[in-house]
Amino acid sequence: MSTILVSFSPSSSSLFLTSLSFTSSFPLRCLTRNLMSHSLARNTLGLTHPSSTIQSPKISFTAKDIDVTEWKGDILAVGVTEKDLTRDSNSKFENSILKKLDSKLGGLLAEASSEEDFSGKVGQSTVLRIAGLGSKRVGLIGLGQSASTPAAFKGFGEAVAAAAKSAQASNAAVVLASLEGLSAQSKLSSAYAIASGAVLGLFEDNRYKSESKKPALSSIDIIGFGTGPELEKKLKYAGDVSSGIIFGRELVNSPANVLTPGALAEEASKIASTYNDVFTATILNAEQCKELKMGSYLGVAAASANPPHFIHLRYKPPSGPVNVKLALVGKGLTFDSGGYNIKTGPGCSIELMKFDMGGSAAVFGAAKALGQIKPLGVEVHFIVAACENMISGTGMRPGDILTASNGKTIEVNNTDAEGRLTLADALVYACNQGVEKVVDLATLTGACVVALGPSIAGVFTPSDDLAKEVLEASELSGEKLWRMPLEESYWESMKSGVADMLNTGGRQGGAIGAALFLKQFVDEKVQWLHIDMAGPVWNEKKRSATGFGIATLVEWVLKNAS
């Protein structure tokens, strides 16, 4: 039997806790105090502060090899495919696990699944309150025609959490009706995905609600996946990645009157202080950015009363040599009004523009997870040019020309294409750190949402090798990415008559034009990949952030580690 305690804490990462403990160097302590005093003073807008009284739930995962009919607890959740529900001539289950459970229940399981028209499709579930087993309830959860991908098993874990919440269960067990087709490695990755899905499914961001209910679920037994240190390691990894995803969700969910650029910098500094054995933080103010000639970034920030903060976290392994240097760059617009090209009309989603820092949330969520995992052999730079795109007499106007830190000039023909302007200087800065590979993430274009819908992010890169690395990482994480063309001929629409380039081209191929714009600020010696995540950053049905990109970034960094 293997047991691993996974704890995820909304309150441990929540913004503006009254007491913070920093153990890093003196300059960082001073810097963080200054950030706190500034951001707390600004964040009285609306008198809104996130609650820091939420109790931190802890979920223990225990791997067991026992007969499912002998398990004792609140709810036994069985993942079933459509094939698993095949009946014999006597209308009895042919699947051995379902047959054994049904026999103990006197045929009740088969009867209920028929009466409720449960066919095992994805999204279907049926939960029975029963007598005759050690479990108080048995739940059948549909996996579709087959279940073999991380995304499918993560969805199963989320469904288990939903069933447990509905039943107010304090403990649960999960088992698959069919495990025969899974290799030892597949069992490990499937257990990881189920555990991750359960943790994320249980999480609710109630920091801004006057009343909240603590989830009762505290333990999950995973039956039939084996036991031992390898599985234990996978379950711990699920907890580390999930804590990063939850942190990323909290950042995106926080409104712009709470999560200012200064507050985002404070959260990054807290990561560096919490994991100070592997992280250092550098936060640049507007004057320091001016010295670095970041005219493109500062042009966007110029209109806001909340000053910009350029954030740079550096991860170095706790021991051993560094074999590869990577950079993760995230778009950090804590609010985007559109500027003078203000967002108007149906579908403009101005009220959701707090999620325009979803790229930075992905970067810092990955940083939090990696601070716990501590991979060897890899140095990682986490870079965010944080600011707001607002409207005032000091703001940039359509027609203005900005000069980026690499000397290239940009004619601004649309102030609502601001994310690429901030990323331009962030990418130049990243390349100057001596990195070999850069991945940037941004809620960059509505055009990418039109092309790929709300669930898939677009990938743009001139490097086939880097595309292969990141897409393989996304397959392991279960997040959906799709490589898009980087059509060089489209650059013609981005040319200006008075500057080196425009910041937008025509409406057609808008996501490609944006990627081509970013390419102008990447050193040719550096492999670079851009992820446009405007669609999957937000779950409209749940009206909440998804934490998209974090699991893929962690997988990618680990693939590059020794």
Side-chain angles (χ1 to χ4, degrees):
M1 183 185 297
S2 301
T3 302
I4 184 75
L5 185 69
V6 176
S7 92
F8 67 97
S9 168
S11 57
S12 69
S13 62
S14 64
L15 300 152
F16 310 118
L17 297 180
T18 55
S19 174
L20 297 175
S21 173
F22 289 94
T23 55
S24 49
S25 63
F26 176 76
L28 179 58
R29 289 203 305 270
C30 293
L31 173 62
T32 306
R33 278 201 299 270
N34 291 336
L35 286 173
M36 284 185 65
S37 62
H38 166 76
S39 53
L40 281 170
R42 297 295 310 168
N43 287 332
T44 55
L45 178 63
L47 303 180
T48 300
H49 295 285
S51 170
S52 59
T53 60
I54 302 171
Q55 296 298 311
S56 305
K58 290 180 171 59
I59 303 178
S60 65
F61 290 91
T62 304
K64 293 183 176 180
D65 272 333
I66 60 171
D67 190 314
V68 292
T69 61
E70 296 175 2
W71 183 81
K72 293 179 173 60
D74 290 332
I75 182 169
L76 173 67
V78 186
V80 295
T81 65
E82 295 174 38
K83 183 181 178 181
D84 293 330
L85 293 169
T86 302
R87 315 290 180 94
D88 61 19
S89 57
N90 296 316
S91 297
K92 302 292 185 183
F93 290 120
E94 293 184 357
N95 177 272
S96 60
I97 287 179
L98 294 181
K99 189 174 185 177
K100 186 180 292 186
L101 286 169
D102 200 36
S103 177
K104 284 278 188 179
L105 297 173
L108 182 63
L109 202 60
E111 183 180 327
S113 63
S114 295
E115 289 180 356
E116 297 192 21
D117 198 26
F118 178 81
S119 60
K121 288 183 169 60
V122 174
Q124 284 188 326
S125 65
T126 183
V127 178
L128 305 178
R129 178 77 189 226
I130 55 167
L133 285 179
S135 174
K136 295 177 184 177
R137 294 173 179 82
V138 171
L140 299 181
I141 296 175
L143 298 174
Q145 292 186 346
S146 63
S148 58
T149 65
F153 289 118
K154 184 179 176 184
F156 173 48
E158 291 174 346
V160 171
K165 277 196 284 189
S166 178
Q168 297 184 323
S170 62
N171 51 67
V174 297
V175 64
L176 298 181
S178 296
L179 277 161
E180 294 82 11
L182 294 179
S183 65
Q185 187 59 44
S186 295
K187 286 182 180 180
L188 288 175
S189 60
S190 301
Y192 155 76
I194 291 169
S196 178
V199 172
L200 296 174
L202 190 66
F203 169 70
E204 292 181 13
D205 192 348
N206 294 319
R207 295 169 300 150
Y208 298 97
K209 295 180 179 180
S210 56
E211 296 181 7
S212 62
K213 190 174 182 179
K214 180 184 175 183
L217 188 64
S218 60
S219 68
I220 297 178
D221 292 337
I222 297 182
I223 299 173
F225 286 80
T227 59
E230 283 298 310
L231 183 55
E232 185 175 317
K233 184 179 178 182
K234 270 292 183 183
L235 293 175
K236 180 186 181 301
Y237 178 60
D240 292 338
V241 176
S242 297
S243 71
I245 293 172
I246 287 169
F247 178 54
R249 287 182 179 182
E250 286 184 324
L251 289 176
V252 177
N253 284 340
S254 291
N257 63 322
V258 172
L259 189 74
T260 61
L264 186 60
E266 179 187 323
E267 290 298 308
S269 297
K270 197 195 303 185
I271 292 172
S273 66
T274 302
Y275 308 105
N276 61 1
D277 57 331
V278 290
F279 271 108
T280 56
T282 302
I283 314 292
L284 305 179
N285 60 28
E287 196 58 39
Q288 291 168 311
C289 291
K290 188 175 180 181
E291 290 174 9
L292 293 175
K293 300 181 179 180
M294 296 183 178
S296 186
Y297 164 47
L298 293 174
V300 176
S304 178
N306 288 311
H309 290 77
F310 191 95
I311 308 164
H312 176 199
L313 296 183
R314 179 188 283 107
Y315 170 89
K316 286 192 174 181
S319 62
V322 170
N323 301 318
V324 63
K325 294 183 180 182
L326 312 175
L328 302 177
V329 178
K331 178 182 172 183
L333 268 293
T334 59
F335 187 76
D336 175 24
S337 70
Y340 279 109
N341 292 106
I342 191 168
K343 296 177 184 290
T344 58
C348 72
S349 299
I350 191 170
E351 75 283 0
L352 289 177
M353 283 303 111
K354 64 180 184 179
F355 74 41
D356 215 18
M357 40 64 64
S360 67
V363 165
F364 293 143
K368 179 177 172 64
L370 291 165
Q372 298 169 81
I373 298 166
K374 303 186 196 312
L376 301 178
V378 61
E379 178 177 310
V380 191
H381 298 260
F382 304 82
I383 296 165
V384 170
C387 66
E388 294 179 324
N389 185 25
M390 300 296 281
I391 301 171
S392 76
T394 62
M396 68 178 178
R397 296 145 296 211
D400 283 358
I401 295 177
L402 309 177
T403 303
S405 49
N406 65 349
K408 294 187 177 182
T409 57
I410 306 154
E411 180 185 358
V412 179
N413 63 348
N414 189 332
T415 61
D416 194 23
E418 84 302 327
R420 66 198 71 183
L421 297 173
T422 65
L423 287 168
D425 283 324
L427 287 168
V428 172
Y429 182 94
C431 292
N432 288 340
Q433 306 309 307
V435 300
E436 296 153 55
K437 304 173 187 178
V438 176
V439 171
D440 80 72
L441 301 94
T443 49
L444 205 63
T445 68
C448 202
V449 186
V450 172
L452 297 177
S455 302
I456 306 170
V459 168
F460 303 81
T461 178
S463 170
D464 292 340
D465 290 341
L466 187 53
K468 185 173 184 289
E469 285 183 18
V470 174
L471 290 171
E472 285 179 352
S474 74
E475 288 176 8
L476 293 172
S477 73
E479 295 178 323
K480 296 179 181 179
L481 302 180
W482 191 263
R483 189 176 182 185
M484 303 284 277
L486 201 60
E487 178 55 54
E488 291 288 347
S489 66
Y490 288 8
W491 184 246
E492 285 298 315
S493 70
M494 301 287 290
K495 290 183 177 178
S496 164
V498 292
D500 292 330
M501 68 194 82
L502 298 165
N503 71 324
T504 66
R507 287 179 60 84
Q508 296 178 332
I512 298 173
L516 290 169
F517 178 91
L518 296 179
K519 185 171 178 283
Q520 311 308 308
F521 302 92
V522 180
D523 191 308
E524 291 183 356
K525 298 176 183 177
V526 176
Q527 292 185 63
W528 160 75
L529 181 142
H530 161 60
I531 299 176
D532 192 330
M533 51 182 283
V537 70
W538 189 256
N539 185 317
E540 184 59 38
K541 184 178 180 181
K542 295 181 180 179
R543 299 188 178 186
S544 180
T546 61
F548 184 88
I550 294 168
T552 296
L553 291 183
V554 173
E555 289 285 356
W556 178 65
V557 170
L558 294 181
K559 287 293 180 184
N560 278 273
S562 58

